[in-house]
Amino acid sequence: MQQLDIAALVTLLRDSSGDSETNELSGDVLDVPFGELGYDSLALLQVTGVIERDAGVTLDDEALDEAETPRQYLEVVNRVLSARTVA
């Protein structure tokens, strides 16, 4: 996994919550808080676990806890993925 984009994040969120299309994730959702999108910290924890497993990285739990929107979450994840690619 080189970088995580919004489409991949949407898929992971839907897969982790067993939700195919219930929560509104179409359109410009990058800056919409996860709570408003219908996802809680448990869903994000599951997504984080999948990313860590699939990419072989350890993500910063504290930084992810502060990520309230998909854009912020992607920035944290992609920072780690980019560092791994460069190293």
Side-chain angles (χ1 to χ4, degrees):
M1 180 180 304
Q2 290 187 1
Q3 292 283 287
L4 185 67
D5 62 18
I6 187 64
L9 179 57
V10 165
T11 298
L12 288 170
L13 284 166
R14 287 189 169 144
D15 289 349
S16 72
S17 66
D19 153 37
S20 59
E21 303 270 338
T22 306
N23 295 327
E24 181 57 45
L25 291 172
S26 60
D28 187 11
V29 296
L30 280 171
D31 296 310
V32 179
F34 285 112
E36 288 181 31
L37 295 172
Y39 294 98
D40 60 12
S41 59
L42 181 58
L44 291 173
L45 184 62
Q46 290 175 313
V47 168
T48 299
V50 170
I51 294 167
E52 288 180 327
R53 182 193 69 218
D54 291 353
V57 297
T58 301
L59 299 171
D60 181 349
D61 292 334
E62 206 170 301
L64 290 172
D65 286 344
E66 294 176 10
E68 297 179 3
T69 66
R71 181 184 309 275
Q72 293 169 337
Y73 187 89
L74 289 169
E75 287 172 357
V76 171
V77 171
N78 287 328
R79 192 174 329 124
V80 172
L81 293 176
S82 292
R84 182 187 63 117
T85 305
V86 172

